[in-house]
Amino acid sequence: MPTRRALIAAMPLLVAGCSGGESPYDRAVRDLWRLPDLGGGGVPMIALIRAATLAANGHNTQPWRFRIEPRAIEILPNFSRRTPVVDPDDHHLFVSLGCALETLLRAGLGYGWAGEPELLPGGGVRVTFSSAQARPDALFQAIPRRASTRTKYDGRPVDAATLRRLEAAIGQDVGLRWVLEPDARARLTDMIVAGNSAQLANPAFMRELTDWIRFDAGEALARRDGLFTAASGNITAPRWLGERLLPMVMTKNGEADRLAGWMRSSAGAAIFTGPAETPASWIAVGRAFTRFALTATAAGLKLAFLNQPVEDPATRRRMAAWLGEPAKRPDLVVRFGYGPELPRSLRRGPQAVLLR
Ligand SMILES: Cc1cc2nc3c(=O)[nH]c(=O)nc-3n(C[C@H](O)[C@H](O)[C@H](O)COP(=O)(O)O)c2cc1C
């Protein structure tokens, strides 16, 4: 068993270092994060599915399957990719489906196919497409540029006009609470740290998280899912070592400082609350978040979730009371601001997610 000191001494050697030339990981990212130009013809099913899979999704589990029908695509939940500890009632799974649905609809509009969604029993959605004027607008262009950027931002505020555009993007179904002022930010930071500390103290949470971390580029490339450490601004390492380093790197106090620093550096945060505690409502939340995220990306903003307070049930109740709606479930917490690019995450290809 290597000692803690030996592991820490080895860390500088483990930082991803591919000197000169494009690494296989970077090549995969370049191939993935784009919207190809398409010629005419029928509904570009595979291009639309590829675009939909670029959506945000919990732990990058990609908990979806797609079925191609004549002039329609069905998005179906893939319960084999659940995360039962962090998401026991599949809330995040259905929010993720909503993110994929909204991305699919936006991609459709960009390519000239208007989609009409219809909820299916069992939590899936069928989107029927009809030909429309192609609208490759700013939201369409933002699909391959959106990312979860988990690092410090530069502290610059966001102007009122941009905040209004973000608010309008969310629409009517889903409630939005801005967290911009110092007092509110301090309260929210407290709840983020409380939720995070509860999660760190839960061995089952840590085991599930560790299973979804991809500690080095080789693992991330082979699996094309999960949380690649470099995409969160962390070092890469072989799994055997990464698993041993994690408890040393993710300490309660260290994480509290990191989260507080991220909040201080952000222009603000937004809390999303859907209309009900049902899969249909969680899909609506995912759609609203995605419109928000694409609008923010188009405006040059970066964003990242800090969902610890809505994932830990005790902190979620505290947050609902703080928001003045104790009977409602706050669904998502998202910070935003201006910040740097980090390495991107990967996705499994259409062949892995298509049902035949
Ligand atoms: C419902 C949901 C919950 C999420 N919760 C968190 C979170 O609490 N913290 C975090 O850093 N990222 C969170 N994410 C972001 C995902 O980890 C991220 O979307 C995924 O790893 C893919 O990366 P990308 O967004 O950069 O494409 C969440 C995403 C969704 C859709």
Side-chain angles (χ1 to χ4, degrees), residues 33 53-61 91-93 95-96 99 146-150 199 226-227 231-232 262 289 304-308 311 331-333 343-347:
W33 288 94
T53 65
L54 298 180
N57 64 95
H59 278 13
N60 200 17
T61 55
H91 168 278
H92 284 4
L93 187 149
V95 171
S96 303
C99 295
R146 183 214 57 79
S148 301
T149 307
R150 300 180 191 90
Q199 290 179 328
L227 302 162
S232 302
W262 283 357
F289 161 74
F305 292 94
L306 285 173
N307 280 324
Q308 295 89 336
E311 291 168 349
D331 288 287
L332 299 174
V333 180
R344 311 296 295 269
S345 58
L346 290 180
R347 298 293 189 275

Side-chain angles (χ1 to χ4, degrees), residues 1-8 10-11 14 206 210 213 215 229 235-251:
M1 175 78 73
T3 63
R4 168 185 291 233
R5 189 169 298 174
L7 291 176
I8 291 173
M11 278 167 60
L14 301 163
M206 290 307 291
T210 307
I213 291 180
F215 286 98
T229 51
I235 63 161
T236 64
R239 172 167 286 275
W240 67 267
L241 184 53
E243 286 187 356
R244 285 168 175 77
L245 286 173
L246 197 66
M248 299 174 204
V249 177
M250 278 185 86
T251 61

Side-chain angles (χ1 to χ4, degrees), residues 108-254:
L109 288 175
Y111 284 129
W113 294 93
E116 190 58 49
E118 169 202 352
L119 292 183
L120 301 171
V125 186
R126 177 182 298 122
V127 181
T128 305
F129 289 98
S130 55
S131 172
Q133 177 76 33
R135 246 176 49 202
D137 60 11
L139 296 201
F140 175 75
Q141 307 293 345
I143 292 172
R145 292 175 34 231
R146 183 214 57 79
S148 301
T149 307
R150 300 180 191 90
T151 190
K152 273 195 179 164
Y153 300 163
D154 69 7
R156 260 188 298 155
V158 171
D159 65 60
T162 306
L163 292 178
R164 296 291 84 77
R165 281 212 304 283
L166 292 169
E167 215 167 288
I170 290 176
Q172 301 298 316
D173 303 347
V174 172
L176 162 75
R177 184 68 67 90
W178 290 120
V179 180
L180 302 170
E181 303 308 327
D183 282 0
R185 292 158 72 106
R187 288 292 293 278
L188 177 60
T189 303
D190 264 7
M191 285 184 265
I192 292 166
V193 169
N196 197 63
S197 299
Q199 290 179 328
L200 287 178
N202 177 355
F205 174 89
M206 290 307 291
R207 208 168 313 119
E208 183 179 81
L209 177 66
T210 307
D211 282 349
W212 284 102
I213 291 180
R214 304 293 169 249
F215 286 98
D216 69 19
E219 191 181 28
L221 251 179
R223 302 287 296 270
R224 299 184 72 100
D225 63 8
L227 302 162
F228 180 33
T229 51
S232 302
N234 294 322
I235 63 161
T236 64
R239 172 167 286 275
W240 67 267
L241 184 53
E243 286 187 356
R244 285 168 175 77
L245 286 173
L246 197 66
M248 299 174 204
V249 177
M250 278 185 86
T251 61
K252 187 174 165 213
N253 290 343

Side-chain angles (χ1 to χ4, degrees), residues 258-281:
R258 193 155 83 123
L259 293 166
W262 283 357
M263 276 299 290
R264 268 196 307 276
S265 75
S266 299
I271 301 172
F272 293 67
T273 303
E277 286 200 43
T278 59
S281 170

